[in-house]
Structure formats: structure tokens, C-alpha cells
Amino acid sequence: MKNALLSPALFFAAFGISLTVHADYTVQMNLVDADGVGKSIGQVTVSEAGQGTLFTPSLSDLPPGMHGFHVHAKPSCEPAEKSGAMEPAEGAGSHYEADKNPKHAGPSGDGHRGDLPVLAVASDGTATQPVLAPRLKLNELAGKSLMIHAGGDNYSDKPHPSGGGGKRIACGIIK
């Protein structure tokens, strides 16, 4: 008796799950500091997936660990003044909030749509693990920026606003 195996493509198609991914944006990422935009650290490919928008990094020269990863409202990676001091990439504004929702609730929550899953950086400073943003659509990303923060993200506004991710360390403009 032969064992019939359903191919992965047929399995997903049978259950209405789309695995089709089309690359629509390639975002060049650069280190940022209070003096401006620094060297290139690679790129993030942004693609539409059946269950949301997929962000696939090909990055290097980052501090190892988990980092806050967000879509920000403005297309700028330039420093700007905040609380009396120049801060890295503050020209990007705050997290993208299409629904004018002021809270930070993570990629699947009911807060900012710019909240992405954390970016995992390996011990060698590279990031290659894709993350899926289930609430974002490609057609809303042009003219925004993509931001990497110094620390992790707890997807809450407590004890620190916007997940406590820390300073902005890398940025790219979604064109």
C-alpha cells in the first residue's frame, strides 16, 4: 500500500493559505546617531504575504540581541531635537498609527500598526530572520521609515512609552 503525501503547496492551497510572496520594497538601512545618517548596514525586503506584510532583513553590524523594530510615520532618518537635545532619526516621527490609536500593543494587538515583531540579531551582529506584520498592507508603507531601536520591545506603554525600545540605532526610508 502506497502512502500518499500531499505536497506542501497543495496542502496550503487546499486550506486557503497563501504562501505567495512578492517583493515590493527594498529598504536600504543605515546606522544613525545624533550627528546624522551613517554607514549602510544592509537592506530589508518588504513583501506582501497572504497573512500580512513580511519584512526580511539582510543586515550586519548591529548589536546582538532583540531590538524594537517599527514603521515610523515620516520618511526621514535625520536627527532632530527632542527634550532639548539632538536625537538620532527623530525626523522619522513616531510609530505609524493609521487608525490614530495612541497605544503600543504589538504587531497583532489593537495599537499602532507600525509595531513590528522584534528584530533578532545574532551574536555576529547579523539579522536575517523574517518577521510578519499581520495588520499592515504594502499600499500604506510608501513614504514612511523603518526603524531599529537599541533595546527590545515589550509591546506596552508601561513601564516606558512605546515598548521601552531605547534610542534609534538604524533607519531606512520606504520608497
Side-chain angles (χ1 to χ4, degrees):
M1 179 176 202
K2 290 184 179 179
N3 287 332
L5 292 176
L6 194 58
S7 79
L10 288 175
F11 172 82
F12 288 115
F15 290 96
I17 300 171
S18 171
L19 292 181
T20 304
V21 177
H22 301 286
D24 283 13
Y25 295 107
T26 300
V27 182
Q28 299 302 315
M29 299 294 291
N30 293 76
L31 293 175
V32 294
D33 62 26
D35 293 326
V37 178
K39 77 173 190 166
S40 173
I41 58 167
Q43 62 190 27
V44 176
T45 302
V46 185
S47 308
E48 189 167 334
Q51 297 77 26
T53 299
L54 190 67
F55 292 77
T56 306
S58 179
L59 302 170
S60 60
D61 298 322
L62 287 166
M66 302 304 239
H67 294 275
F69 194 35
H70 306 105
V71 173
H72 281 246
K74 299 176 184 176
S76 174
C77 293
E78 295 299 323
E81 189 174 322
K82 180 178 179 183
S83 302
M86 293 303 284
E87 292 290 336
E90 281 294 327
S94 58
H95 296 174
Y96 171 55
E97 300 179 24
D99 304 318
K100 307 296 182 213
N101 191 334
K103 68 182 183 174
H104 185 69
S108 297
D110 63 350
H112 307 157
R113 277 202 282 189
D115 291 345
L116 303 177
V118 293
L119 181 71
V121 178
S123 61
D124 65 358
T126 61
T128 58
Q129 182 67 41
V131 299
L132 182 68
R135 297 174 53 225
L136 280 177
K137 302 291 182 207
L138 278 173
N139 65 358
E140 61 188 306
L141 296 179
K144 311 281 185 295
S145 58
L146 190 57
M147 193 72 61
I148 300 171
H149 293 264
D153 192 332
N154 69 5
Y155 303 121
S156 174
D157 286 318
K158 294 178 183 167
H160 303 289
S162 295
K167 288 198 182 260
R168 300 165 187 208
I169 60 171
C171 180
I173 297 172
I174 305 170
K175 301 177 189 176

